[in-house]
């Protein structure tokens, strides 16, 4: 591995080796056993030499600069509260914001609790997922509602981009900023086989370095295209993060950057491995739809038992997909996935195709529901009561209801609950990954005023 600058890691290693007397936080004093032995030595608080994530000027600032340089951003800011903190920062910097219906729940929560005027492009819903809104619809919608900011998701959970340079330029010409939830695109730009990093065609974006790079869970980076935007968002980000940030998490972001730089060539090997899987499954009842990110492998099993059945079959063989839905199993691949693991995946898929469920059961395709233009997000619900989900059709939701992952609300707070969503939720409740429906099958709706 090529030696890269790792200021945070080097600082933590040096301090761990000193054996200093720690009469400060954290309470474990750098001592741990077993799994925690080495981690505790490097889990420190802000000291005179360790910098401060709220106002970085030392090793953290240097590490953030190195991350920004790798992906071509003017500024980068580490988040130990995941991409959610970055989303809140971007929403807080806006007054009238246009978002897509398939946004992460954090977008709507931020708009609600920060009291922002939020408008929603009600794009199409097809076979369990929201489709990207049309570019012209975004332009028209942003102009119609007087939005100062558009916040879009790109890529989505299924590996599709939702916008590019053209949209950015059109919005820029109108004085409208474009922000992006690019949580699943942290690896973009590392290979000619991958799309450009989202920061190349937006004003700011947040990426989850734990999702598609080698950082630890809960670590993310907010990147800005200009220093001016960076200063604004950096200040906002600090308001949504703990004042006791985890140094091991920050070190893992730095480690992920180094791994990303050193594994660029591995994406070509990974691409060839994915292509071999596609060839092995070509013509079978498992279809692999084309998308924009070859590392997001989607196995469509709707003609052979569905995504739940395929996912359960894989998990029984110790292969764990990122998520499954009624139709598909979605897998996140990185250079850390070796050829042997991907061959095992292909073997398992072929084995599944021989099972009774795959040979007998086909999942009926649902119709596409067309969106209805741009509407205002109105979460101002009062007099909340709880009723059974089966009786909630036509009621106004008092809390959002959705599936995790992908953490996109199927019903937003303030929206009317429909029969199609109720039926979809019943399928998911059996798997225990629904939020907004309590253990007794009750949902919150608006009661009589």
């Amino acid at each position: 591995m090529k030696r890269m600058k790792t200021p945070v890691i080097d600082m933590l290693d040096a301090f761990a080796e000193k054996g200093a007397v720690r009469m400060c936080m954290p309470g474990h004093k750098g001592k741990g056993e077993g799994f925690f032995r080495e981690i505790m030595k490097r889990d420190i608080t802000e000291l005179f030499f360790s910098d401060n994530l709220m106002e970085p000027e030392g090793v953290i600032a240097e590490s953030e600069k190195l991350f920004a340089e790798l992906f071509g951003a003017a500024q980068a800011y580490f988040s130990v509260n995941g991409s959610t903190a970055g989303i809140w920062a971007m929403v807080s910097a806006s007054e009238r914001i246009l978002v897509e219906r398939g946004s992460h729940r954090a977008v709507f929560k931020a708009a609600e609790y920060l009291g922002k005027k939020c408008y929603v492009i009600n794009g199409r819903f097809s076979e369990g997922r929201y489709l990207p809104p049309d570019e012209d619809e975004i332009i028209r919608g942003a102009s119609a509602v007087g939005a100062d900011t558009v916040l879009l998701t790109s890529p989505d959970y299924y590996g599709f981009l939702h916008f590019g340079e053209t949209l950015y330029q059109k919005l820029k010409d109108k004085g409208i900023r474009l922000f992006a939830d690019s949580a699943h695109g942290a690896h973009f730009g590392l290979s000619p086989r991958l799309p450009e990093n989202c920061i190349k065609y937006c004003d700011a974006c947040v990426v989850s370095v734990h999702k598609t790079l080698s950082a630890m869970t809960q670590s993310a980076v907010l990147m800005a295209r200009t220093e001016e935007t960076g200063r604004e968002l950096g200040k906002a980000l600090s308001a949504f993060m703990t004042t006791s940030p985890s140094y091991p998490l920050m070190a893992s972001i730095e480690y992920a950057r180094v791994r990303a730089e050193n594994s660029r060539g591995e994406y070509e090997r990974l691409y060839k491995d994915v292509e071999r899987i596609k060839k092995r499954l070509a013509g079978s009842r498992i279809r692999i739809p084309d998308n924009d990110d070859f590392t997001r492998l989607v196995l469509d099993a709707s003609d052979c038992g569905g995504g739940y059945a395929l996912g359960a079959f894989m998990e029984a063989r110790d292969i764990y997909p990122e998520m499954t839905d009624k139709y598909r199993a979605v897998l996140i691949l990185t250079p850390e996935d070796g050829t042997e693991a991907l061959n095992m995946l292909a073997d398992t898929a072929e084995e599944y195709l021989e099972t009774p469920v795959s040979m007998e059961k086909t999942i009926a395709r649902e119709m596409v529901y067309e969106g209805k233009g741009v509407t205002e997000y109105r979460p101002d619900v009062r007099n909340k009561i709880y009723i059974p989900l089966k009786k909630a059709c036509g009621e106004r939701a008092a809390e959002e209801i959705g599936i995790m992952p992908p953490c996109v609300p199927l019903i937003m707070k303030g929206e009317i609950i429909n029969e199609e969503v109720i039926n979809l939720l019943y399928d998911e409740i059996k798997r225990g990954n629904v939020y907004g429906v309590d253990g007794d099958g009750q949902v919150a709706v608006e009661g009589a005023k």
Side-chain angles (χ1 to χ4, degrees):
M1 179 183 290
K2 181 181 176 182
R3 175 62 179 165
M4 302 287 181
K5 291 183 178 180
T6 53
V8 174
I9 293 173
D10 293 346
M11 176 272 294
L12 293 176
D13 284 345
F15 187 66
E17 292 171 4
K18 289 176 66 174
V21 177
R22 305 187 187 193
M23 294 192 176
C24 57
M25 299 184 295
H28 56 66
K29 306 295 184 174
K31 299 173 183 177
E33 297 181 359
F35 173 80
F36 292 100
R37 184 180 302 277
E38 295 303 318
I39 295 175
M40 296 306 198
K41 291 179 182 178
R42 291 161 177 79
D43 182 33
I44 67 173
T45 189
E46 292 89 348
L47 301 169
F48 76 90
F49 57 86
S50 62
D51 208 358
N52 188 316
L53 185 58
M54 298 297 104
E55 295 285 349
E57 297 179 347
V59 291
I60 297 173
E62 183 182 356
S63 191
E64 290 177 332
K65 182 180 178 182
L66 290 167
F67 195 99
E69 289 174 351
L70 174 61
F71 293 103
Q75 300 279 355
Y77 299 92
F78 291 173
S79 168
V80 295
N81 287 16
S83 281
T84 292
I87 288 171
W88 276 68
M90 291 189 288
V91 172
S92 75
S94 312
E95 291 304 321
R96 300 176 72 88
I97 186 168
L98 180 71
V99 305
E100 58 184 302
R101 182 61 182 78
S103 298
H104 190 277
R105 64 179 303 197
V107 172
F108 301 109
K109 285 297 184 186
E112 177 185 357
Y113 285 101
L114 294 173
K116 301 296 182 177
K117 282 287 187 181
C118 180
Y119 300 88
V120 183
I121 306 172
N122 294 291
R124 293 183 299 159
F125 184 80
S126 176
E127 297 173 355
R129 74 181 188 92
Y130 287 99
L131 304 182
D134 178 78
E135 184 176 290
D136 291 335
E137 185 180 11
I138 295 170
I139 300 292
R140 289 195 304 270
S143 299
V145 302
D148 57 80
T149 303
V150 172
L151 173 57
L152 301 175
T153 303
S154 189
D156 63 19
Y157 235 98
Y158 298 90
F160 290 96
L161 301 181
H162 286 206
F163 67 92
E165 177 69 25
T166 304
L167 177 63
Y168 170 68
Q169 290 298 334
K170 288 180 179 179
L171 289 173
K172 185 178 180 181
D173 291 343
K174 292 180 176 292
I176 301 171
R177 294 196 295 188
L178 177 59
F179 291 161
D181 172 5
S182 192
H184 289 267
H187 59 305
F188 284 3
L190 294 175
S191 165
R193 299 286 188 184
L194 294 167
E196 283 191 303
N197 194 276
C198 195
I199 195 58
K200 299 291 187 181
Y201 42 84
C202 66
D203 292 288
C205 67
V206 64
V207 295
S208 288
V209 286
H210 72 93
K211 284 182 167 66
T212 59
L213 296 180
S214 298
M216 289 163 55
T217 299
Q218 202 171 312
S219 48
V221 177
L222 177 63
M223 294 190 287
R225 190 182 180 95
T226 66
E227 290 187 5
E228 181 181 4
T229 301
R231 283 193 294 270
E232 178 186 8
L233 293 180
K235 291 291 185 183
L237 181 65
S238 67
F240 303 110
M241 280 201 300
T242 174
T243 55
S244 299
S246 165
Y247 277 83
L249 283 183
M250 288 187 278
S252 82
I253 297 174
E254 188 170 81
Y255 173 77
R257 189 206 84 234
V258 172
R259 287 291 297 148
E261 291 186 86
N262 279 299
S263 63
R264 285 176 178 270
E266 280 293 291
Y267 281 100
E268 186 62 29
R269 186 270 307 165
L270 181 61
Y271 175 80
K272 291 177 180 177
D273 286 341
V274 170
E275 287 299 299
R276 279 193 289 272
I277 292 175
K278 290 181 177 180
K279 287 180 180 179
R280 287 180 62 174
L281 297 179
S284 75
R285 298 181 76 188
I286 292 179
R287 292 179 286 117
I288 302 178
D290 292 329
N291 57 15
D292 298 307
D293 178 9
F294 80 88
T295 72
R296 189 58 55 101
L297 189 63
V298 179
L299 304 181
D300 188 325
S302 54
D303 290 337
C304 53
Y308 299 144
L310 174 58
F313 189 86
M314 294 168 64
E315 289 165 359
R317 286 149 184 80
D318 278 339
I319 298 176
Y320 295 89
E322 166 63 18
M323 67 166 285
T324 56
D325 62 25
K326 185 176 181 180
Y327 309 95
R328 299 157 287 237
V330 179
L331 301 94
I332 295 177
L333 306 179
T334 78
E336 307 294 348
D337 292 297
T339 299
E340 182 179 352
L342 293 175
N343 286 339
M344 186 185 305
L345 169 64
D347 291 342
T348 300
E350 289 179 337
E351 182 184 356
Y352 171 78
L353 286 167
E354 301 300 320
T355 64
V357 66
S358 71
M359 290 185 281
E360 296 174 4
K361 188 175 181 181
T362 298
I363 304 300
R365 292 279 178 175
E366 296 173 353
M367 65 176 287
V368 173
Y369 301 101
E370 298 293 337
K372 297 180 180 179
V374 176
T375 57
E376 184 176 356
Y377 175 49
R378 298 291 300 274
D380 52 337
V381 176
R382 299 180 181 180
N383 303 313
K384 180 167 61 176
I385 62 172
Y386 287 86
I387 65 173
L389 175 62
K390 63 183 178 181
K391 296 182 179 180
C393 186
E395 299 288 344
R396 189 166 184 240
E399 293 291 346
E400 65 179 29
I401 308 170
I403 300 166
M404 186 181 299
C407 305
V408 173
L410 290 172
I411 292 293
M412 297 185 297
K413 187 176 181 180
E415 201 170 29
I416 300 301
I417 301 172
N418 59 58
E419 185 177 357
E420 291 81 12
V421 168
I422 290 175
N423 291 336
L424 181 59
L425 286 168
Y426 275 124
D427 287 336
E428 295 287 346
I429 287 172
K430 299 171 186 175
R431 297 177 54 78
N433 58 349
V434 169
Y435 62 89
V437 183
D438 68 20
D440 296 323
Q442 305 268 316
V443 294
V445 300
E446 186 174 48
K449 293 184 179 180

